[in-house]
Amino acid sequence: MQPAGAVPSPPDGGPSGPTPTGSSQTGSSPSGAGPSGAGASGAGASGAGASGGGQVGRAAAGWWGGVPGEASPVLAAAAVAALEAYAAATARHGRAALEAVVADGADGTPTMRIDVLVEDAVLSALAPYGVNVLTEETGWVDNGSARTLVLDPVDGSANAAAGVPLSAFSAAVAEDGVFTEALTVWLDTGRSWWAAAGVPSPLRTTGRRALAGAAVSLLRPHPANPGAAAAWWEVVRRAARVRILSTSCLEGALVAQGATDAFADAATDTHRLVDIAASVVLAEAAGGAVRDVFGRPVELDTDLTRRWSGIVAATPDLADELAEVLRQAYEDQPPVP
């Protein structure tokens, strides 16, 4: 029998995964425990890892310090590998090396060196588990499993390469095509958000139901796209506060935590499944909702060229209003001749 809180071995008897450092069963942090996660041995302050002084979970606040003990072994292994690889990459390489484009990703967009360094480590950690993987750079890895891990090892790559401390590891588990569990980890602090379908969650959104007066995070505006620009400004006009963090997975997690009311792509079709899959589980567990501006279902699809204009909101009412406002503003803008 595994001791309480330990991560079981992979199903094939391979090496055991890392022991998560946080647990929602522990309540609030002890005196002196801040939001920065516990560092893996040698990883410093860049996140939670397999060893070192564990940061106790902050369940009452809806987030954990480090990888929560409730996370499934495959999610825990992937997250700890990402934290350790991110810490190593940012310690060893400067900005120019980290942001250098070294390949094209599976979706056809440029891949930075930091993406490769972290994703390679995550895929190595996942190998013993035999799950299918859909990831930003490599794409679809079919291992013939009913279980698929949809993940973005470094969401906010430009932030990460530049030293802006706003990037995240994010992953969702799909069982026979249905998203059942998700984990997002802020790579620079180790703060994490976890939820599983059917499991009571400490995550709670703000409960806001209307856009007027809301705090909303948005992707950056696209002035060259008149419809998207009009949609962006319409939300800015109605909301009370607007933020641009440039890390969709982290922004979705903050909606689930109740730190902000909503996050949206203002009709630019920027989101891939890896950008919003985790939010489907996190937001719904917290009372929120995920939508697409144009009404397309957010569902498992191994084609990374498929795009969405994702919305993560505190309530279904707010999600639906945002979708309507963005879509209407987009469609009302006459096309460029």
Side-chain angles (χ1 to χ4, degrees):
M1 179 178 294
Q2 294 284 343
V7 176
S9 298
D12 64 355
S16 296
T19 301
T21 59
S23 171
S24 68
Q25 304 302 317
T26 55
S28 60
S29 298
S31 176
S36 60
S41 179
S46 295
S51 59
Q55 178 80 359
V56 179
R58 285 289 302 275
W63 56 269
W64 288 257
V67 181
E70 294 85 348
S72 63
V74 67
L75 273 181
V80 170
L83 283 160
E84 293 180 343
Y86 176 82
T90 53
R92 294 172 186 165
H93 301 286
R95 176 174 181 169
L98 292 174
E99 69 184 6
V101 174
V102 295
D104 287 330
D107 66 346
T109 61
T111 298
M112 295 183 186
R113 177 172 282 110
I114 191 168
D115 295 311
V116 173
L117 292 172
V118 178
E119 183 165 306
D120 284 354
V122 171
L123 291 176
S124 294
L126 290 175
Y129 293 87
V131 297
N132 307 325
V133 181
L134 180 67
T135 188
E136 183 175 10
E137 313 306 336
T138 302
W140 175 239
V141 179
D142 187 356
N143 287 315
S145 174
R147 229 176 166 207
T148 296
L149 200 63
V150 178
L151 65 92
D152 191 345
V154 183
D155 177 61
S157 304
N159 285 346
V164 176
L166 291 169
S167 59
F169 161 88
S170 191
V173 175
E175 304 272 0
D176 293 319
V178 177
F179 295 118
T180 59
E181 184 185 6
L183 174 65
T184 294
V185 183
W186 187 354
L187 289 170
D188 288 277
T189 68
R191 179 183 292 199
S192 64
W193 299 263
W194 173 86
V199 177
S201 174
L203 292 167
R204 293 291 181 274
T205 71
T206 62
R208 177 173 285 276
R209 300 177 62 183
L211 176 56
V216 182
S217 287
L218 292 169
L219 294 183
R220 65 180 178 85
H222 287 246
N225 182 333
W232 196 91
W233 281 109
E234 185 61 25
V235 171
V236 171
R237 185 179 71 81
R238 299 185 186 213
R241 185 181 300 274
V242 172
R243 298 181 178 93
I244 301 175
L245 304 184
S246 300
T247 168
S248 297
C249 298
L250 183 58
E251 288 167 291
L254 291 172
V255 173
Q257 180 190 315
T260 193
D261 297 314
F263 163 67
D265 169 3
T268 67
D269 275 2
T270 294
H271 284 145
R272 300 146 302 182
L273 186 62
V274 298
D275 298 311
I276 52 176
S279 289
V280 171
V281 180
L282 294 174
E284 291 182 1
V290 173
R291 299 284 190 269
D292 170 71
V293 170
F294 301 105
R296 297 163 293 196
V298 180
E299 60 191 2
L300 182 63
D301 191 329
T302 60
D303 180 6
L304 279 180
T305 64
R306 185 177 176 186
R307 299 298 180 112
W308 287 266
S309 291
I311 295 169
V312 186
T315 59
D317 286 347
L318 179 56
D320 291 340
E321 182 184 357
L322 263 169
E324 176 62 25
V325 167
L326 288 165
R327 182 172 59 252
Q328 195 65 53
Y330 178 88
E331 292 174 350
D332 287 349
Q333 184 68 24
V336 176

